[in-house]
Amino acid sequence: ETNTLPFHPFENQQGDILRMEKEHHVLKEQLKEAEEKFEQLQSRSLEEIGALEELLKKSIEETEVSQNELDWFHQDSETQMKKWQQEKKENRENLKALRGTAKKHSDTNERYLKSIDDKEKQYNACLNTFLETSNKFASEKGKLEELIKKSQDDSQECEKRAVKAEVSVLQTWKETEIWKLKGTISKAEGNLRMLKALSSSASAAPVLKSQIDSWEVFISNVKKQLEKVEAEYEEKIELVKNGARNCLSRVEIVDFPSP
């Protein structure tokens, strides 16, 4: 975001600082080109002056040959001098204009440099603030991560204790129900043995036959109920150990009436 969006308040739109630097570079190039042009004009003027001086010298040497040639030379010299003076005047004006432009560019450059320096200071101040804030957030993040890890460890420990407690409750319920059913089976088998002993008498056998059958059916049903209760409690215990929830409920027991 720092590299792609305008950096307010230092830029009104993206690239203002870079554009100012490019304009500064272009102005420097223009100033350099103007100085080179001025040096060329000055060199050419000096060469022309030298040529005129040589021509003047030659004209003086030829004064003895022809007065007409001397007059012509004077006229030509005056013409060349006027031309040179005109060019000199133009060069001075050009030089003055170039100096004014150079000063203007120099002032603009100084303003840009000052503006860049001020914005750089503001940027450094914002950067330091950002780094301080970032370090603060990093420190707080580390503390939060430690708290989260501790909370996760505590949560896992609580889950382990909860699983252990649920398994203990289910185990207790299972043992209680099994103890009750086994007690019922034991009493029923005692009654069945007594009935079978009584049925050894021939006179009592027909009367007790239905009773013995009823008690055998009752014992069979209770044993099946015992197996069912034990299996369902074991299944619940395994589900709890594997992370299942809402398994802490009693197994439904069918109450068979005694014969």
Side-chain angles (χ1 to χ4, degrees):
E1 291 178 356
T2 303
N3 293 330
T4 58
L5 297 178
F7 188 44
H8 297 292
F10 313 115
E11 291 182 324
N12 293 324
Q13 57 182 355
Q14 183 181 356
D16 279 350
I17 294 178
L18 292 177
R19 183 165 57 255
M20 290 166 62
E21 290 180 353
K22 290 180 180 178
E23 290 176 358
H24 175 221
H25 180 71
V26 170
L27 292 174
K28 287 178 68 178
E29 291 294 328
Q30 290 178 352
L31 178 60
K32 182 179 179 182
E33 182 179 356
E35 290 176 349
E36 291 176 353
K37 184 176 179 182
F38 169 73
E39 290 176 358
Q40 291 175 0
L41 291 173
Q42 189 177 31
S43 175
R44 188 174 69 182
S45 298
L46 292 174
E47 290 176 359
E48 290 178 355
I49 291 172
L52 289 173
E53 288 177 350
E54 289 293 328
L55 183 60
L56 180 60
K57 181 179 179 181
K58 183 177 180 182
S59 297
I60 293 173
E61 291 175 351
E62 292 175 351
T63 53
E64 297 177 357
V65 179
S66 173
Q67 184 65 37
N68 292 331
E69 291 181 355
L70 180 60
D71 293 338
W72 173 83
F73 174 74
H74 286 163
Q75 292 176 359
D76 185 65
S77 297
E78 288 176 359
T79 301
Q80 293 293 334
M81 184 63 69
K82 288 179 181 179
K83 181 180 178 181
W84 176 79
Q85 287 178 348
Q86 182 65 27
E87 290 182 352
K88 183 178 181 181
K89 181 180 179 181
E90 292 177 355
N91 290 337
R92 275 181 189 168
E93 291 176 353
N94 290 334
L95 179 61
K96 184 178 179 181
L98 289 173
R99 284 177 177 172
T101 303
K103 186 177 186 306
K104 181 180 177 182
H105 292 338
S106 177
D107 295 341
T108 302
N109 183 32
E110 289 180 359
R111 288 199 307 273
Y112 287 161
L113 289 175
K114 186 176 183 302
S115 177
I116 290 172
D117 185 59
D118 293 340
K119 290 180 178 180
E120 185 176 2
K121 290 179 180 178
Q122 294 176 358
Y123 168 77
N124 289 331
C126 291
L127 180 62
N128 292 333
T129 302
F130 168 75
L131 292 175
E132 290 176 0
T133 305
S134 178
N135 292 334
K136 181 180 178 181
F137 285 160
S139 177
E140 292 179 355
K141 179 183 177 183
K143 293 179 181 178
L144 289 175
E145 287 177 348
E146 291 179 0
L147 290 175
I148 290 172
K149 185 177 182 303
K150 185 177 183 302
S151 298
Q152 289 176 344
D153 294 340
D154 293 342
S155 176
Q156 291 177 355
E157 184 64 26
C158 289
E159 288 180 359
K160 290 179 181 178
R161 291 200 301 268
V163 168
K164 186 176 180 181
E166 288 185 10
V167 169
S168 177
V169 171
L170 290 172
Q171 190 71 30
T172 301
W173 286 350
K174 183 189 79 170
E175 292 175 356
T176 301
E177 297 298 337
I178 289 174
W179 178 80
K180 288 180 181 179
L181 291 172
K182 284 184 177 181
T184 301
I185 292 171
S186 178
K187 289 179 181 180
E189 288 177 344
N191 292 334
L192 183 61
R193 286 194 299 270
M194 183 182 65
L195 289 173
K196 286 182 177 180
L198 294 174
S199 67
S200 60
S201 172
S203 60
V207 178
L208 298 178
K209 179 67 170 60
S210 61
Q211 293 292 325
I212 291 172
D213 292 340
S214 298
W215 278 104
E216 287 179 347
V217 171
F218 175 76
I219 291 170
S220 176
N221 290 334
V222 174
K223 285 183 177 180
K224 290 179 181 179
Q225 181 73 15
L226 175 64
E227 294 175 358
K228 174 178 174 295
V229 168
E230 189 172 8
E232 290 187 9
Y233 271 115
E234 287 296 331
E235 182 181 358
K236 284 179 176 289
I237 290 172
E238 288 300 320
L239 288 174
V240 171
K241 289 181 177 179
N242 292 329
R245 294 292 179 267
N246 300 323
C247 295
L248 194 62
S249 60
R250 291 180 177 273
V251 174
E252 186 177 353
I253 305 257
V254 179
D255 189 13
F256 295 106
S258 298

